[in-house]
Amino acid sequence: MASSRARLGQNVGVSVKQDSFSVSLTVGAYGSAFGAASVAAHFSVLQTCLLSLLTFSGASQFAVIGVLGAGGSALSGITTATLLGIRNALYGVQMAPRLKIRGIKRIVGAQLTIDESTAVSITQSDEKSVKQGFWYTGIGVFVFWNIFTVLGALGAQAMGDPSAWGLDAAVPAAFLGLVWPRLKTKSNWIIAVTAVVLSLSLAPFAPAGLPIIATALLAVIFGWRA
């Protein structure tokens, strides 16, 4: 009986590692799109890499370079990124009692609390696997995301004028890629279509960045009503 439980534990551990690696590599590779888009938005390679190292939240990073690259103010960029990053704080509230960590590990854990680490963690069946899923996935995505960010930024820089290669369209394309898999319900489609209409209506006369902030607030209103 003991040996059976041991084998089961080993199998679960291998499964967690496989799931974490698969998610980490897939999501991390998307960092190359951010690196290229950031350089296309006239950020330097160093600035691009620092955004990935310190912010480490894909949607928020794309928001920053999207707003500033379009001529928006730093305040607009920070506000938009903050609104998009609120969900990570909510993940933290959910994960804190599961992970039960303190001190420096709590600080590191906060940085690694993202969509993927939370998703892999909460799908596990026991306490040990929950923690493994969180740490393996969080660290894996962080490492791959930053590696591919550098590669994407250097690749875009080597191309010369990014807009000549169409990389200036990378930011809206990236947002579409982030949103599309989540449009699984009627309510999500309604929110998305309403946000598009609102953004297009504001774009001709509103300062750069304000349409994105408005659509983020719109999502909050829909969520509050629900």
Side-chain angles (χ1 to χ4, degrees):
M1 180 66 71
S3 60
S4 297
R5 285 199 298 266
R7 286 196 297 270
L8 178 60
Q10 290 174 350
N11 291 335
V12 171
V14 171
S15 177
V16 173
K17 291 179 181 178
Q18 290 175 340
D19 291 344
S20 298
F21 179 78
S22 176
V23 171
S24 299
L25 182 58
T26 302
V27 174
Y30 199 53
S32 59
F34 169 73
S38 182
V39 171
H42 308 294
F43 284 75
S44 69
V45 174
L46 177 60
Q47 290 171 328
T48 299
C49 293
L50 287 176
L51 272 172
S52 280
L53 281 169
L54 302 177
T55 305
F56 188 50
S57 178
S60 296
Q61 291 177 225
F62 278 110
V64 169
I65 63 173
V67 172
L68 297 184
S73 66
L75 180 60
S76 296
I78 293 172
T79 302
T80 305
T82 300
L83 287 171
L84 292 173
I86 288 176
R87 71 189 191 285
N88 290 355
L90 299 178
Y91 294 157
V93 173
Q94 183 179 17
M95 293 305 301
R98 296 170 183 262
L99 298 177
K100 301 175 183 177
I101 51 178
R102 300 180 182 277
I104 188 66
K105 289 185 68 175
R106 192 177 184 89
I107 298 175
V108 175
Q111 178 73 346
L112 299 179
T113 303
I114 55 176
D115 297 345
E116 294 76 22
S117 60
T118 302
V120 174
S121 179
I122 63 176
T123 57
Q124 305 307 315
S125 57
D126 61 89
E127 183 177 347
K128 181 179 179 180
S129 297
V130 165
K131 294 181 179 180
Q132 288 179 336
F134 175 83
W135 290 110
Y136 290 160
T137 307
I139 293 172
V141 173
F142 183 83
V143 171
F144 284 122
W145 180 268
N146 281 280
I147 290 174
F148 280 101
T149 293
V150 175
L151 295 177
L154 292 176
Q157 186 182 58
M159 291 178 180
D161 181 12
S163 61
W165 297 82
L167 293 182
D168 51 336
V171 174
F175 268 115
L176 182 60
L178 288 170
V179 171
W180 192 265
R182 292 168 170 78
L183 301 180
K184 298 179 179 179
T185 65
K186 182 179 179 180
S187 60
N188 286 349
W189 273 103
I190 293 174
I191 295 172
V193 172
T194 306
V196 169
V197 173
L198 177 62
S199 181
L200 292 176
S201 300
L202 293 175
F205 58 87
L210 184 59
I212 299 179
I213 295 175
T215 56
L217 292 175
L218 183 66
V220 172
I221 293 172
F222 270 94
W224 176 74
R225 289 189 64 184

